[in-house]
């Protein structure tokens, strides 16, 4: 825009159509009026352009520079995303460490102790929980030896007492042998659940399918069905399977009995394998899971007595011919967490030993909050 010092000092530029030479004063005045109009229009146009630029710039700044609330919201989203990623990495790392957990790290001894299979952060039990557990264990020791292992599969933390005490496992081993058949033989196609087998012994002569024999052994704790299964499948890879799980041969192939003598540490190790298998979600694994949830006797289930808790177990009990045992072991599911519990005692089976074993299961279950 031209600079106008005063009305009378305006000098047309070269090529202007407004000539002053030879023009009357009236014509000159008219020309000046037209010039002022043009100048005004120019100033107005410039003002509009400047205003437009200013508005556009402001809008751009508003877009490029969010306000405080927007920034805070974005920061919260980033934080949540990072937290979710960290949680996923932490969970994955924990699962990896648990898969490599060494059950030999579970402490032994005749005092109640806590442990962690993945780090050195051992849990601390509340005084009331510890007292209840010690009381139940003392009651059991009045009748025989006792050992327990209880731990959280999600955290790897647990509580134990006499983890290496060896007792006659009685029928508690039937579920673990069924695990071997289903996981190694049926899933691989070597064996069909619908294959017929010749049963023998006692009062069960005849032909039954593998499915029927497993169900009778696990749900109803039928001895003849279990013995028939061992006779049929002990030599199809059982020794290798159990050795690969870190269990010694004496448990795998006890020459004196189809029902081995073993300890809570071994029991917990095998029930962790059971948990891994049942989580495969195959037709056979889900069938076995249903059998374990329907066992005719469960001291663990009796002790917890909570309909919101899923207990998949196999108990063992005997008091005859010099064999004494009241045992129970299995998986406990509650609030999206799974726990392994093994209670093994040499108490002669009776109503009293059944009640004491149930009390131990309840006392162990009540320590779970400290194991998270």
């Amino acid at each position: 825009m031209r600079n106008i010092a005063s009305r009378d000092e305006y000098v047309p530029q070269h090529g202007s159509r407004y000539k002053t030479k030879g023009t009357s004063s009236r014509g000159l005045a008219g020309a000046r009026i037209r010039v002022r109009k043009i100048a005004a229009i120019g100033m107005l146009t410039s003002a509009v352009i400047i205003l437009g630029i200013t508005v556009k710039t402001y809008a751009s700044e508003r877009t490029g520079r969010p306000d405080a609330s927007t920034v805070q919201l974005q920061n919260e989203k980033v934080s949540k995303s990072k937290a979710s990623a960290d949680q996923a990495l932490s969970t994955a790392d924990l699962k990896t460490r648990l898969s490599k957990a060494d059950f030999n790290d579970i402490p032994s001894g005749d005092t109640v102790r806590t442990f962690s299979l993945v780090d050195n952060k051992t849990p601390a039990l509340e005084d009331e929980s510890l007292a209840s557990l010690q009381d139940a264990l003392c009651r059991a020791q009045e009748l025989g030896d006792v050992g327990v292992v209880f731990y959280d599969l999600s955290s790897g933390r647990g509580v134990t007492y006499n983890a290496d005490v060896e007792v006659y496992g009685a029928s508690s081993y039937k579920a673990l042998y069924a695990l071997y058949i289903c996981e190694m033989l049926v899933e691989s196609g070597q064996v069909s659940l619908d294959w017929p087998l010749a049963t023998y012994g006692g009062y069960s002569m005849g032909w039954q399918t593998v499915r029927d024999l497993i169900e009778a052994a696990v749900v109803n704790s039928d001895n003849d069905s279990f013995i028939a299964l061992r006779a049929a499948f002990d030599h199809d890879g059982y020794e290798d399977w159990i050795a690969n799980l870190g269990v010694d041969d004496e448990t795998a192939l006890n020459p004196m009995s189809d029902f081995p003598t073993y300890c809570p540490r071994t029991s917990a190790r095998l029930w962790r394998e059971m948990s891994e298998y049942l989580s495969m979600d195959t037709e056979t694994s889900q069938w076995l899971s249903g059998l374990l949830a329907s066992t005719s006797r469960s001291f663990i289930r009796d002790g917890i007595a909570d309909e919101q808790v899923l207990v998949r177990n196999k108990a063992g009990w005997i008091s005859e011919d010099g064999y004494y045992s009241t045992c129970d072991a299995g998986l406990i599911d509650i609030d999206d967490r799974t726990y392994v519990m093994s209670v093994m005692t040499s108490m002669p089976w009776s109503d009293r030993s059944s009640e004491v074993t149930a009390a131990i299961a309840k006392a162990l279950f009540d320590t779970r909050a400290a194991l998270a």
Side-chain angles (χ1 to χ4, degrees), residues 97-167:
R97 286 182 289 160
L98 281 172
S99 67
K100 299 177 180 179
D102 187 353
F103 280 78
N104 292 325
D105 291 338
I106 296 176
S108 189
D110 57 357
T111 57
V112 175
R113 298 181 63 182
T114 58
F115 63 88
S116 173
L117 294 175
V118 295
D119 52 37
N120 295 322
K121 299 177 181 178
T122 57
L125 301 184
E126 295 182 357
D127 292 342
E128 184 177 352
S129 296
L130 178 59
S132 295
L133 177 57
Q134 289 174 328
D135 178 66
L137 292 171
C138 286
R139 290 166 58 194
Q141 286 179 317
E142 294 175 358
L143 302 174
D145 295 327
V146 57
V148 304
V149 171
F150 177 62
Y151 81 100
D152 185 337
L153 275 173
S154 298
S155 69
R157 298 186 178 94
V159 57
T160 184
Y161 176 85
N162 266 357
D164 294 315
V165 64
E166 293 190 348
V167 302

Side-chain angles (χ1 to χ4, degrees), residues 15 47 100 111 123 128 136 156 162-163 188 192 194 216 295 310 324 345 356 369:
K100 299 177 180 179
T111 57
E128 184 177 352
N162 266 357
S188 66
S192 168
D194 297 320
T295 51
L310 173 64
Y324 304 113
T345 85
V356 171

Side-chain angles (χ1 to χ4, degrees), residues 236-279:
D236 289 348
Y238 170 58
E239 185 175 3
D240 292 337
W241 172 77
I242 204 165
N244 288 334
L245 294 177
V247 179
D248 59 63
D249 288 342
E250 291 183 2
T251 299
L253 297 170
N254 187 335
M256 301 302 294
S257 174
D258 291 303
F259 302 88
T261 294
Y262 62 115
C263 65
R265 186 191 306 274
T266 295
S267 174
R269 190 192 309 263
L270 291 172
W271 276 98
R272 197 276 294 273
E273 181 67 18
M274 178 74 81
S275 175
E276 293 289 327
Y277 173 63
L278 297 185
S279 67

Side-chain angles (χ1 to χ4, degrees), residues 11 15 23 49 58 76 96 113 121 140 146 158 183 209 214 220 233 247-248 250 326 347 355:
V11 178
T23 304
I49 293 173
Y58 178 72
E76 289 176 354
T96 299
R113 298 181 63 182
K121 299 177 181 178
V146 57
E183 182 179 44
T209 65
I214 291 177
N220 300 319
F233 300 122
V247 179
D248 59 63
E250 291 183 2
T326 307
M347 294 186 294
E355 293 173 359

